[in-house]
Amino acid sequence: MAVETSVTCAVFGLGKLGASFAAVLGAAGLPVVGVDVDSRVVDAINRGEAPIQEPGLQDAMTRAGDRLRATTNAAEAVHSADLSFVIVPTPSDESGRFVNAYVARALDGIGQALATTDRYHVVSITSTVMPGAMDTELAPTLIGASGRAMGANLGFCYNPTFIALGSVIQNLTRPDLVLIGESDSRAGDLVEGVHRRIFETDPAVRHMNWANAEIAKIAINTFVTTKISFANMLGELCERTPGADVAAVTEAVGDDHRIGHAYLRGATAYGGPCFPRDNVALARAASDVGVEATLAEATDRVNRRQADRLAHIVERDCPPGGTVAILGLAYKPQTNVLDESPALTLAARLIDGGHRVLGFDPMVGVDAVPELPAFEITRRIEDCVDAADAVVVTTPSPEFAALPELARSAGRNPVVIDCWRLFPEATPGVRVVHPGRGTDPKDQPRPAVSARS
Ligand SMILES: NC(=O)c1ccc[n+]([C@@H]2O[C@H](COP(=O)([O-])OP(=O)(O)OC[C@H]3O[C@@H](n4cnc5c(N)ncnc54)[C@H](O)[C@@H]3O)[C@@H](O)[C@H]2O)c1
């Protein structure tokens, strides 16, 4: 359905996801008022400056122009809007459940503003929440603060998005799926209409109840993490099987259309702000209702052992005291986000093991990891490579293509543990090791063969 041009959106939470979402809505021609409790973020948006690093965000903000503004005043935003999106943090607690405190606070502010008018308004939660949270916690909070009944002049939706940092704008405008858990179809249709304004493709749009959308959101990410851990488990198997290579195996496995190639690659552990948390949350949601989430738990276990696996490969070629350079510190290319980054877990493990560890990432500043003071982050890739006995490439950033040439000019002949297969094994000037590759059978000691066998 097409959204009327008069719809104004409020976006609560202008962080890694919310700033891009607000900018994309504005760029698509919708009036948007962003709300954040952090006045620095609000001021940046009002100056027309991207508050965070994300490819395409500045351009989207420029295209949004005067249609996008920001405020710290929740009531003012709600009074000028028809639809409020809530995209505030939902950190995980120790048990792996998402904590709703920030969402509840935002809903309280929105509800209090709604209590002073009776104009129809839809509130849509984009933040990731636990199954059951909309019904048992968030809807009562909104109803309590607004004094409204669900359905008459109030709609309430759960509308999570599927984005990866570094490609947020593209993921928002070219999604595979838009998931809308709705209190009623009028509310869900309004949310769909807003999304339709930003699509550049024709994705599936699924309307359902809150519980189904809550489970579907974390199920999708958990399925993807399962594929990653499955590929990494195959990598472990191939590493110990003479002649085997995980790249050849996963390429063949992914050719089966029931499986597919996406995320089926033996490389590093998954990290970032969503995959690890969503996987653990699904397991927690299942155990909360007495279901054994064996698959999700195994996926997490395989993921957690990847740092040790990689460290063992490093230790084989670079004994304690040696210098290891890690290229790729964020959890993926094109972002500076370090949450659950495989590189940081590896760095901590190697420092504990007595190595000097240097690191470089084109997106990450030298002071980004204060919690690991022995980890020396350098400004230039050369500063890392020039000193390294071993180099571990943990993300497939195009900037690392210069590594063999830099190593050659430094005259160090380091071992390069190339998790993403950026370099062929026979690259001059470096000794490339591909994790997930077993030794060549001709390098194996042959078992004694009896005359009869
Ligand atoms: N970042 C991702 O890759 C991603 C992907 C999918 C889903 N999500 C979900 O989206 C939500 C937001 O994630 P994020 O990474 O953008 O978080 P973030 O920490 O980058 O940004 C959140 C913003 O919300 C603001 N905020 C906090 N309380 C507020 C309030 N009461 N009113 C207004 N603003 C408030 C903060 O100041 C901050 O600017 C989380 O639930 C997360 O799980 C994130």
Side-chain angles (χ1 to χ4, degrees):
M1 65 158 295
V3 66
E4 311 133 54
T5 41
S6 60
V7 170
T8 298
C9 297
V11 176
F12 283 74
L14 300 167
K16 296 185 284 298
L17 176 53
S20 292
F21 188 61
V24 163
L25 294 178
L30 293 169
V32 186
V33 50
V35 184
D36 205 291
V37 290
D38 185 341
S39 59
R40 290 166 306 178
V41 173
V42 167
D43 292 345
I45 297 235
N46 287 334
R47 285 195 305 272
E49 291 168 14
I52 49 145
Q53 287 187 48
E54 179 60 38
L57 172 56
Q58 186 62 58
D59 176 55
M61 285 182 61
T62 305
R63 283 186 288 122
D66 290 345
R67 283 186 297 272
L68 171 62
R69 64 182 181 87
T71 177
T72 53
N73 186 329
E76 187 243 316
V78 171
H79 289 149
S80 62
D82 307 284
L83 172 53
S84 294
F85 289 95
V86 176
I87 319 184
V88 299
T90 44
S92 303
D93 67 15
E94 277 170 13
S95 72
R97 296 182 186 87
F98 300 118
V99 175
N100 292 327
Y102 294 92
V103 179
R105 207 167 309 148
L107 287 179
D108 204 44
I110 294 168
Q112 286 179 29
L114 292 177
T116 61
T117 73
D118 54 14
R119 186 171 139 203
Y120 181 70
H121 196 93
V122 174
V123 180
S124 185
I125 305 292
T126 303
S127 301
T128 312
V129 300
M130 292 300 286
M134 288 286 288
D135 188 43
T136 59
E137 201 178 326
L138 303 180
T141 301
L142 182 60
I143 290 167
S146 65
R148 296 188 182 195
M150 202 61 78
N153 58 356
L154 179 65
F156 194 37
C157 294
Y158 181 54
N159 172 224
T161 56
F162 301 94
I163 55 104
L165 300 178
S167 55
V168 177
I169 305 274
Q170 194 192 340
N171 300 149
L172 288 170
T173 55
R174 307 176 76 83
D176 287 343
L177 162 71
V178 172
L179 196 56
I180 303 173
E182 60 197 24
S183 54
D184 57 89
S185 59
R186 182 182 176 195
D189 286 351
L190 192 67
V191 172
E192 176 180 345
V194 166
H195 278 279
R196 288 209 173 276
R197 286 292 290 264
I198 64 177
F199 293 160
E200 292 169 3
T201 51
D202 189 19
V205 179
R206 297 219 176 254
H207 292 255
M208 56 193 73
N209 64 25
W210 296 330
N212 287 333
E214 288 164 330
I215 294 174
K217 153 66 178 158
I218 52 177
I220 287 171
N221 278 352
T222 302
F223 196 88
V224 175
T225 57
T226 306
K227 280 185 91 175
I228 296 170
S229 277
F230 187 80
N232 283 332
M233 181 199 68
L234 291 178
E236 294 169 349
L237 170 64
C238 290
E239 239 154 62
R240 288 164 185 248
T241 306
D245 182 359
V246 71
V249 172
T250 52
E251 273 163 29
V253 172
D255 282 338
D256 188 313
H257 79 278
R258 296 169 301 176
I259 299 170
H261 290 282
Y263 291 91
L264 192 70
R265 186 147 178 204
T268 56
Y270 55 81
C274 289
F275 277 172
R277 297 194 316 126
D278 287 7
N279 180 88
V280 171
L282 183 85
R284 174 54 60 190
S287 73
D288 282 348
V289 293
V291 172
E292 259 188 65
T294 320
L295 279 178
E297 284 163 11
T299 294
D300 185 51
R301 274 208 305 283
V302 171
N303 200 53
R304 288 182 194 280
R305 71 182 184 226
Q306 296 309 308
D308 261 354
R309 172 186 164 211
L310 206 47
H312 284 133
I313 297 173
V314 174
E315 283 159 358
R316 206 177 51 200
D317 291 292
C318 181
T323 299
V324 183
I326 300 179
L327 299 187
L329 307 183
Y331 80 101
K332 65 187 284 290
Q334 293 290 328
T335 177
N336 58 358
V337 171
L338 298 165
D339 301 20
E340 305 266 346
S341 158
L344 298 197
T345 319
L346 176 67
R349 168 76 173 66
L350 291 172
I351 289 167
D352 276 354
H355 291 88
R356 179 184 178 209
V357 185
L358 308 174
F360 170 77
D361 188 308
M363 302 284 289
V364 175
V366 292
D367 301 322
V369 193
E371 67 278 17
L372 209 54
F375 188 25
E376 302 169 48
I377 301 178
T378 66
R379 274 180 216 288
R380 303 179 319 147
I381 184 171
E382 291 88 332
D383 301 333
C384 244
V385 175
D386 286 1
D389 301 305
V391 181
V392 188
V393 182
T394 50
T395 59
S397 292
E399 289 86 350
F400 303 152
L403 165 61
E405 187 51 47
L406 292 172
R408 271 195 295 277
S409 30
R412 290 195 68 91
N413 192 30
V415 63
V416 172
I417 296 146
D418 177 13
C419 300
W420 292 91
R421 311 282 175 113
L422 302 186
F423 311 108
E425 274 184 339
T427 303
V430 288
R431 290 170 290 141
V432 174
V433 170
H434 287 156
R437 188 165 186 139
T439 49
D440 195 320
K442 68 181 181 315
D443 297 335
Q444 292 285 307
R446 283 182 181 277
V449 182
S450 80
R452 270 183 297 160
S453 61

Tab-separated table of all heavy atoms in Angstrom, residues 293-319:
chain	number	residue	atom	x	y	z
A	293	ALA	N	17.172	-25.956	23.418
A	293	ALA	CA	17.607	-25.303	22.172
A	293	ALA	C	18.980	-25.829	21.788
A	293	ALA	O	19.952	-25.081	21.666
A	293	ALA	CB	17.624	-23.801	22.356
A	294	THR	N	19.046	-27.146	21.571
A	294	THR	CA	20.335	-27.805	21.357
A	294	THR	C	21.119	-27.178	20.205
A	294	THR	O	22.322	-26.969	20.292
A	294	THR	CB	20.078	-29.298	21.046
A	294	THR	OG1	19.033	-29.743	21.904
A	294	THR	CG2	21.316	-30.122	21.237
A	295	LEU	N	20.424	-26.882	19.101
A	295	LEU	CA	21.128	-26.368	17.919
A	295	LEU	C	21.734	-25.002	18.182
A	295	LEU	O	22.887	-24.747	17.851
A	295	LEU	CB	20.150	-26.259	16.735
A	295	LEU	CG	19.857	-27.528	15.964
A	295	LEU	CD1	18.832	-27.246	14.874
A	295	LEU	CD2	21.134	-28.071	15.345
A	296	ALA	N	20.920	-24.104	18.778
A	296	ALA	CA	21.419	-22.750	19.025
A	296	ALA	C	22.596	-22.795	20.005
A	296	ALA	O	23.577	-22.068	19.845
A	296	ALA	CB	20.293	-21.863	19.560
A	297	GLU	N	22.507	-23.670	20.992
A	297	GLU	CA	23.596	-23.765	21.975
A	297	GLU	C	24.876	-24.305	21.331
A	297	GLU	O	25.974	-23.815	21.594
A	297	GLU	CB	23.168	-24.657	23.144
A	297	GLU	CG	22.203	-23.932	24.067
A	297	GLU	CD	21.438	-24.875	25.005
A	297	GLU	OE1	21.801	-26.069	25.090
A	297	GLU	OE2	20.487	-24.395	25.614
A	298	ALA	N	24.723	-25.293	20.457
A	298	ALA	CA	25.904	-25.861	19.793
A	298	ALA	C	26.543	-24.823	18.871
A	298	ALA	O	27.771	-24.719	18.784
A	298	ALA	CB	25.503	-27.103	19.000
A	299	THR	N	25.706	-24.043	18.199
A	299	THR	CA	26.218	-22.990	17.312
A	299	THR	C	27.086	-22.018	18.095
A	299	THR	O	28.174	-21.628	17.668
A	299	THR	CB	25.017	-22.255	16.677
A	299	THR	OG1	24.342	-23.170	15.819
A	299	THR	CG2	25.442	-21.045	15.880
A	300	ASP	N	26.613	-21.636	19.268
A	300	ASP	CA	27.360	-20.716	20.124
A	300	ASP	C	28.667	-21.359	20.589
A	300	ASP	O	29.719	-20.714	20.603
A	300	ASP	CB	26.467	-20.327	21.312
A	300	ASP	CG	27.118	-19.277	22.186
A	300	ASP	OD1	27.557	-18.252	21.644
A	300	ASP	OD2	27.198	-19.486	23.413
A	301	ARG	N	28.618	-22.644	20.955
A	301	ARG	CA	29.838	-23.324	21.430
A	301	ARG	C	30.893	-23.379	20.331
A	301	ARG	O	32.067	-23.114	20.565
A	301	ARG	CB	29.515	-24.752	21.892
A	301	ARG	CG	29.059	-24.847	23.330
A	301	ARG	CD	29.400	-26.203	23.943
A	301	ARG	NE	28.885	-27.335	23.186
A	301	ARG	CZ	27.621	-27.741	23.205
A	301	ARG	NH1	26.732	-27.106	23.935
A	301	ARG	NH2	27.237	-28.778	22.492
A	302	VAL	N	30.459	-23.732	19.124
A	302	VAL	CA	31.413	-23.785	17.999
A	302	VAL	C	32.013	-22.397	17.790
A	302	VAL	O	33.219	-22.238	17.573
A	302	VAL	CB	30.715	-24.279	16.704
A	302	VAL	CG1	31.632	-24.123	15.498
A	302	VAL	CG2	30.268	-25.722	16.858
A	303	ASN	N	31.171	-21.370	17.886
A	303	ASN	CA	31.654	-20.004	17.654
A	303	ASN	C	32.705	-19.607	18.691
A	303	ASN	O	33.730	-19.030	18.358
A	303	ASN	CB	30.483	-19.028	17.695
A	303	ASN	CG	30.834	-17.723	17.008
A	303	ASN	OD1	31.284	-17.718	15.868
A	303	ASN	ND2	30.648	-16.618	17.703
A	304	ARG	N	32.432	-19.952	19.941
A	304	ARG	CA	33.350	-19.533	21.013
A	304	ARG	C	34.705	-20.221	20.932
A	304	ARG	O	35.691	-19.699	21.433
A	304	ARG	CB	32.716	-19.782	22.385
A	304	ARG	CG	31.596	-18.801	22.685
A	304	ARG	CD	31.005	-19.008	24.055
A	304	ARG	NE	29.752	-18.291	24.159
A	304	ARG	CZ	29.651	-16.980	24.393
A	304	ARG	NH1	30.733	-16.267	24.561
A	304	ARG	NH2	28.467	-16.404	24.453
A	305	ARG	N	34.766	-21.401	20.330
A	305	ARG	CA	36.073	-22.077	20.300
A	305	ARG	C	36.944	-21.639	19.115
A	305	ARG	O	38.081	-22.085	18.987
A	305	ARG	CB	35.893	-23.591	20.341
A	305	ARG	CG	35.328	-24.220	19.095
A	305	ARG	CD	35.169	-25.731	19.308
A	305	ARG	NE	34.710	-26.367	18.095
A	305	ARG	CZ	33.739	-27.266	18.044
A	305	ARG	NH1	33.099	-27.624	19.143
A	305	ARG	NH2	33.400	-27.827	16.894
A	306	GLN	N	36.415	-20.747	18.256
A	306	GLN	CA	37.183	-20.359	17.069
A	306	GLN	C	38.436	-19.553	17.424
A	306	GLN	O	39.439	-19.615	16.723
A	306	GLN	CB	36.306	-19.582	16.070
A	306	GLN	CG	35.164	-20.401	15.487
A	306	GLN	CD	35.628	-21.739	14.932
A	306	GLN	OE1	36.554	-21.808	14.126
A	306	GLN	NE2	34.994	-22.824	15.388
A	307	ALA	N	38.380	-18.758	18.495
A	307	ALA	CA	39.568	-17.962	18.862
A	307	ALA	C	40.711	-18.898	19.236
A	307	ALA	O	41.860	-18.686	18.839
A	307	ALA	CB	39.246	-17.009	20.010
A	308	ASP	N	40.410	-19.944	19.990
A	308	ASP	CA	41.433	-20.919	20.373
A	308	ASP	C	41.992	-21.635	19.151
A	308	ASP	O	43.192	-21.868	19.043
A	308	ASP	CB	40.818	-21.975	21.305
A	308	ASP	CG	41.135	-21.656	22.749
A	308	ASP	OD1	41.911	-20.715	22.992
A	308	ASP	OD2	40.580	-22.345	23.638
A	309	ARG	N	41.092	-21.966	18.253
A	309	ARG	CA	41.527	-22.671	17.035
A	309	ARG	C	42.522	-21.811	16.252
A	309	ARG	O	43.579	-22.277	15.844
A	309	ARG	CB	40.282	-22.967	16.198
A	309	ARG	CG	40.584	-23.518	14.840
A	309	ARG	CD	39.331	-23.657	14.007
A	309	ARG	NE	39.663	-23.836	12.615
A	309	ARG	CZ	38.908	-23.415	11.618
A	309	ARG	NH1	37.765	-22.789	11.855
A	309	ARG	NH2	39.280	-23.618	10.382
A	310	LEU	N	42.159	-20.525	16.100
A	310	LEU	CA	43.027	-19.618	15.350
A	310	LEU	C	44.343	-19.396	16.100
A	310	LEU	O	45.418	-19.361	15.499
A	310	LEU	CB	42.270	-18.296	15.166
A	310	LEU	CG	42.620	-17.411	13.983
A	310	LEU	CD1	42.714	-18.200	12.694
A	310	LEU	CD2	41.552	-16.309	13.850
A	311	ALA	N	44.250	-19.276	17.427
A	311	ALA	CA	45.461	-19.062	18.224
A	311	ALA	C	46.410	-20.261	18.080
A	311	ALA	O	47.624	-20.088	17.976
A	311	ALA	CB	45.093	-18.848	19.687
A	312	HIS	N	45.860	-21.472	18.040
A	312	HIS	CA	46.725	-22.655	17.866
A	312	HIS	C	47.447	-22.607	16.528
A	312	HIS	O	48.615	-22.988	16.430
A	312	HIS	CB	45.908	-23.946	17.960
A	312	HIS	CG	45.537	-24.281	19.366
A	312	HIS	ND1	44.269	-24.650	19.742
A	312	HIS	CD2	46.259	-24.266	20.500
A	312	HIS	CE1	44.232	-24.850	21.049
A	312	HIS	NE2	45.431	-24.621	21.532
A	313	ILE	N	46.754	-22.139	15.500
A	313	ILE	CA	47.403	-22.049	14.182
A	313	ILE	C	48.548	-21.034	14.246
A	313	ILE	O	49.639	-21.270	13.731
A	313	ILE	CB	46.371	-21.668	13.099
A	313	ILE	CG1	45.308	-22.764	12.975
A	313	ILE	CG2	47.049	-21.422	11.753
A	313	ILE	CD1	44.147	-22.432	12.064
A	314	VAL	N	48.289	-19.898	14.923
A	314	VAL	CA	49.348	-18.882	15.060
A	314	VAL	C	50.527	-19.476	15.826
A	314	VAL	O	51.701	-19.361	15.416
A	314	VAL	CB	48.820	-17.633	15.807
A	314	VAL	CG1	49.949	-16.645	16.080
A	314	VAL	CG2	47.695	-16.962	15.021
A	315	GLU	N	50.226	-20.165	16.931
A	315	GLU	CA	51.299	-20.675	17.811
A	315	GLU	C	52.159	-21.732	17.120
A	315	GLU	O	53.333	-21.892	17.434
A	315	GLU	CB	50.683	-21.249	19.092
A	315	GLU	CG	50.275	-20.128	20.049
A	315	GLU	CD	49.222	-20.548	21.075
A	315	GLU	OE1	48.767	-21.715	21.030
A	315	GLU	OE2	48.846	-19.697	21.884
A	316	ARG	N	51.556	-22.420	16.138
A	316	ARG	CA	52.321	-23.428	15.399
A	316	ARG	C	53.484	-22.768	14.653
A	316	ARG	O	54.560	-23.319	14.535
A	316	ARG	CB	51.363	-24.087	14.401
A	316	ARG	CG	51.701	-25.481	13.984
A	316	ARG	CD	50.626	-26.016	13.066
A	316	ARG	NE	50.344	-25.092	11.959
A	316	ARG	CZ	49.232	-25.096	11.247
A	316	ARG	NH1	48.268	-25.940	11.518
A	316	ARG	NH2	49.053	-24.243	10.260
A	317	ASP	N	53.224	-21.564	14.135
A	317	ASP	CA	54.240	-20.902	13.301
A	317	ASP	C	54.944	-19.756	13.987
A	317	ASP	O	55.889	-19.212	13.447
A	317	ASP	CB	53.570	-20.372	12.022
A	317	ASP	CG	53.148	-21.510	11.128
A	317	ASP	OD1	54.035	-22.183	10.588
A	317	ASP	OD2	51.932	-21.743	11.014
A	318	CYS	N	54.451	-19.345	15.137
A	318	CYS	CA	55.019	-18.170	15.793
A	318	CYS	C	55.042	-18.424	17.294
A	318	CYS	O	54.036	-18.251	17.969
A	318	CYS	CB	54.161	-16.948	15.443
A	318	CYS	SG	54.774	-15.431	16.165
A	319	PRO	N	56.175	-18.880	17.826
A	319	PRO	CA	56.229	-19.237	19.245
A	319	PRO	C	56.076	-18.029	20.151
A	319	PRO	O	56.214	-16.896	19.683
A	319	PRO	CB	57.627	-19.851	19.390
A	319	PRO	CG	58.382	-19.454	18.186
A	319	PRO	CD	57.432	-19.062	17.118
